[in-house]
Amino acid sequence: MKKYVIIALAVLGMASCSEKKFHVEGTITEAQDSVLYLENVGINEINAIDSVKLSADGQFSFSGEATEAPEFYRLRIADQIINVAIDSTETVTVKAAYPKMATEYEISGSENCQKIKELALKQMDLQRRAILISSDEHLTVDQSNDSILGLIKQYKNDVKKQYIFPAPNQSYAYFALFQTLGNMLLFNPRTDKEDIKVFAAVATSWDALYPNAERGANLHNIAIEGMKNVRINEANQAQTIDASKVQTTGLIDIALPDNKGKVRKLTELKGKVVLLDFHVFATNDSPARILLLRELYNKYHNQGFEIYQVSLDPDEHFWKQQTSALPWISVREEAGLNSSTIRIYNVQGVPEFFLIDRGNNLVGRSQTIKDIEEAIKNLL
């Protein structure tokens, strides 16, 4: 009996030692007797999770439980802040001297943290230049505002090209989305169509890599809300469509292999409300559109709604990668933009969609449907 107790205790000891931890350590000199905080930067609030009173040598060491998805923290003394991203069980080392630790620090052990440092310094430089412009007495208010808006536009374009679009799955891409100038978010996902695409690109990557992550779900919701706001605004501004020009026609069948090699016929979906979607995944607009389609599919699939998506991408392998996790029917037209299918359906540009009722009848297309969600609900 004692033998089994000893074995059990040994197993418990091994389990305790194998707990996944991350570590943030290093030195911050010139800060003797100052309190250094490690704070978790959450979605809605910032919470202190540990602290230490620094000695003359400035050494510190923090650790915490690793999370399934990347998480964000910051080291802080008073108003001096160093942002840190943690992915799993890595060890991040920081070396700095107070009171310039926020701008003159060294960080190692994480490429994400290196990139976040670059972004933080770029943001500070943007703020410095904006202050110089606003304090220039030779500029009118309009000239000052135009100059600052120009700086912001240039900054955003640079961040998109250099940090976000090349690696939307990285923590630094997420970090870049929420940079500010004063109290203003540089990327406005609520009403700006181009900024929504940026959020959607990161959200799509996080959905795929970290499907249960709260941060990914939050990005998803922000992007969807922004797309809805834009759609409502555009609908309000659009001219009323002449109802006499809307024609209801029978369905021309499509039979194409899906991403698993099975031929799928459009007419086999009779009895369901179907969104026939023509799409090219190799476009900047693709992530935002996929988010919107996923939202519709999740809400109405159980009521009899289906998506039949026709890809016109030339690269079959790329298409299969992009559609492997999609829940709806994904087929590919090998001839792409030269296919007879898009000529038959008179597709002038992509993305393009058609709505099909339960009786296999076309009831409208993008140009004739103001609110796709409302149209789907009416047919269901």
Side-chain angles (χ1 to χ4, degrees), residues 40-273:
N40 175 229
V41 183
I43 294 175
N44 298 313
E45 59 185 2
I46 298 173
N47 293 310
I49 60 174
D50 205 349
S51 64
V52 63
K53 189 174 183 179
L54 295 174
S55 59
D57 62 13
Q59 291 188 3
F60 68 91
S61 180
F62 296 121
S63 65
E65 293 185 8
T67 55
E68 292 183 3
E71 193 53 72
F72 295 85
Y73 301 87
R74 68 183 197 180
L75 296 169
R76 181 178 65 83
I77 299 177
D79 61 350
Q80 292 290 297
I81 292 169
I82 297 174
N83 289 290
V84 177
I86 297 296
D87 185 358
S88 188
T89 58
E90 61 199 336
T91 296
V92 176
T93 303
V94 176
K95 294 181 180 179
Y98 192 75
K100 295 184 178 181
M101 57 180 273
T103 56
E104 298 179 7
Y105 67 94
E106 298 177 10
I107 194 162
S108 59
S110 167
E111 181 185 2
N112 271 297
C113 289
Q114 290 278 5
K115 295 289 188 181
I116 286 174
K117 176 185 176 181
E118 293 175 16
L119 285 164
L121 294 179
K122 287 172 68 69
Q123 179 189 16
M124 292 176 193
D125 183 60
L126 174 68
Q127 184 158 332
R128 178 188 62 79
R129 289 189 291 161
I131 291 173
L132 286 175
I133 291 173
S134 63
S135 60
D136 189 339
E137 297 179 355
H138 298 94
L139 298 177
T140 65
V141 173
D142 288 342
Q143 288 173 332
S144 177
N145 289 340
D146 288 344
S147 296
I148 292 173
L149 289 174
L151 282 180
I152 293 173
K153 182 178 180 180
Q154 182 181 7
Y155 182 89
K156 289 168 61 177
N157 286 337
D158 178 56
V159 169
K160 285 189 289 187
K161 292 178 181 177
Q162 300 297 324
Y163 295 90
I164 298 177
F165 286 145
N169 60 317
Q170 296 298 317
S171 299
Y172 61 80
Y174 182 102
F175 178 84
L177 295 179
F178 295 97
Q179 288 193 293
T180 61
L181 181 62
N183 295 323
M184 179 187 72
L185 274 173
L186 293 172
F187 290 97
N188 175 14
R190 304 298 180 185
T191 57
D192 189 304
K193 290 179 70 173
E194 295 304 312
D195 290 353
I196 292 169
K197 294 176 188 177
V198 181
F199 267 75
V202 179
T204 301
S205 292
W206 280 59
D207 275 348
L209 289 174
Y210 316 107
N212 300 315
E214 184 181 4
R215 290 186 183 276
N218 184 55
L219 288 181
H220 180 106
N221 292 335
I222 290 172
I224 289 296
E225 180 185 351
M227 285 187 277
K228 288 181 178 178
N229 290 342
V230 169
R231 190 177 64 200
I232 290 170
N233 290 336
E234 290 179 344
N236 290 337
Q237 294 172 7
Q239 295 180 348
T240 303
I241 298 174
D242 185 351
S244 66
K245 294 182 180 179
V246 180
Q247 297 180 351
T248 301
T249 66
L251 185 67
I252 301 171
D253 200 11
I254 299 175
L256 291 169
D258 66 12
N259 49 7
K260 297 177 178 61
K262 181 181 178 181
V263 174
R264 307 298 296 267
K265 289 187 175 182
L266 184 58
T267 52
E268 291 176 350
L269 298 175
K270 187 173 183 178
K272 296 180 180 292
V273 173

